[in-house]
Amino acid sequence: MTSPNDQQRPLVGMFWMLSAGLSFVGMNALVKVLGTSMDPIQAAFLRYVFGLVFLIPAWRALIGTPLSTRNLTLFGLRGVIHAIAVMLWFYAMTRIPLAEVTAMNYMTPIYVTLGAALFLGERLAVRRIAAIVVAIVGVVIVLRPGFREVSPGHLAMLGTALALGGSYLLAKVMVRDIRPSAVVAHLSIWVTIALIPFAVAVWQPPSMRDLGILVVVASFATAGHYFMTLALQAAPVAVTQPVTFLQLIWATLLGTLVFHEGVDIWVVVGGSLILAAVSFITWREAILSKGKATPPTPLQGSETPAQSRY
């Protein structure tokens, strides 16, 4: 965690969050390119295999983590849930526009808030309930059921956000006893293991081009995680969270200019509502936790829904 005195550089925090957003959007675009030549499940598996290289700096945290029955169960369960989320996300990326993937992914923190109230006993105040309602309205605007076809890609993205929410709730439980860096590192290992049987079922020999793209994807993902960590160290989440809105703008521009996807104003409007709700909840959490020493959580520590989703 960082102390309040360490988080007094808002412009620096916004810059690093901006860099993280660019990294994630670039990664999304590469996954979309890859979707035309490789099964999404195989691509997800190889992305995590290559990503294991970036765990080398965390080897001390891995070695120092007690592998009790409880910890192994939580690691394994979270690995399976997160693996499902990753497979659904890679599938959705190849089926629906970049802007829609980005907008719908903003729902993950909303699911975390609901899950924390339902399963962890956290209080759900009226203001949070109102923010959740606004976010749901945003999703309805993005999907517009009855006015256009809701494709399997849209359903996969809804499932992605929901599964990621479950993953972060487990992380929220785990960081009570385990160092956040170890929780993050173990996630990559267990997701890779969970993806093995699915990847074997669809395996096709990858080309050197595809392998090269996946190496860059893993690099972008790791860079995005690192930049977001720097952002959280430099400024409060309430300051840096609104910067993530730019991801929706970049995804829309990239989808239009590179993938010839039409600009859907309703996606921008719905995504803006979802992000506004997330930003409000984040701001309220920052106000409520001000001056309190609390353990890091997926929303307040070294790992956030936006940070470790890939």
Side-chain angles (χ1 to χ4, degrees), residues 164-226:
L164 286 176
S167 173
Y168 301 131
L169 286 175
L170 286 173
K172 199 167 186 177
V173 172
M174 294 162 69
V175 294
R176 296 171 180 172
D177 305 312
I178 304 172
R179 293 170 58 185
S181 58
V183 173
V184 175
H186 271 281
L187 175 65
S188 294
I189 294 174
W190 289 90
V191 169
T192 304
I193 294 172
L195 287 171
I196 290 176
F198 299 98
V200 169
V202 298
W203 189 266
Q204 295 291 333
S207 67
M208 292 303 297
R209 168 188 172 275
D210 291 345
L211 291 177
I213 290 177
L214 284 167
V215 169
V216 179
V217 167
S219 300
F220 270 139
T222 302
H225 298 170
Y226 180 63

Side-chain angles (χ1 to χ4, degrees), residues 294-308:
T294 57
T297 71
L299 291 177
Q300 297 172 305
S302 65
E303 182 185 4
T304 69
Q307 177 181 355
S308 64

Side-chain angles (χ1 to χ4, degrees), residues 61-79:
L62 288 169
I63 295 176
T65 304
L67 298 180
S68 63
T69 301
R70 175 182 180 275
N71 288 348
L72 286 173
T73 300
L74 290 175
F75 284 141
L77 179 60
R78 190 185 183 209

Side-chain angles (χ1 to χ4, degrees), residues 154-168:
H154 293 111
L155 298 178
M157 200 56 218
L158 286 173
T160 298
L162 184 60
L164 286 176
S167 173
Y168 301 131

Side-chain angles (χ1 to χ4, degrees), residues 143-144 146-152 154:
L143 294 178
R144 301 192 303 284
F147 294 92
R148 70 162 184 176
E149 178 186 4
V150 177
S151 70
H154 293 111

Side-chain angles (χ1 to χ4, degrees), residues 85-110:
V86 169
M87 288 188 288
L88 290 173
W89 177 77
F90 269 67
Y91 174 81
M93 184 60 65
T94 63
R95 297 295 189 275
I96 60 178
L98 278 173
E100 296 187 19
V101 170
T102 303
M104 295 176 69
N105 194 64
Y106 288 148
M107 278 298 294
T108 297
I110 300 297

Side-chain angles (χ1 to χ4, degrees), residues 99-107 134-135 137-144 244-246 248-249 252 264-279:
E100 296 187 19
V101 170
T102 303
M104 295 176 69
N105 194 64
Y106 288 148
M107 278 298 294
V134 170
V137 171
V139 171
V140 173
I141 291 175
V142 171
L143 294 178
R144 301 192 303 284
T244 59
F245 172 73
L246 294 175
L248 181 57
I249 296 177
T252 301
D264 191 336
I265 188 62
W266 295 110
V267 173
V268 176
V269 171
S272 300
L273 283 177
I274 298 170
L275 184 58
V278 172
S279 298

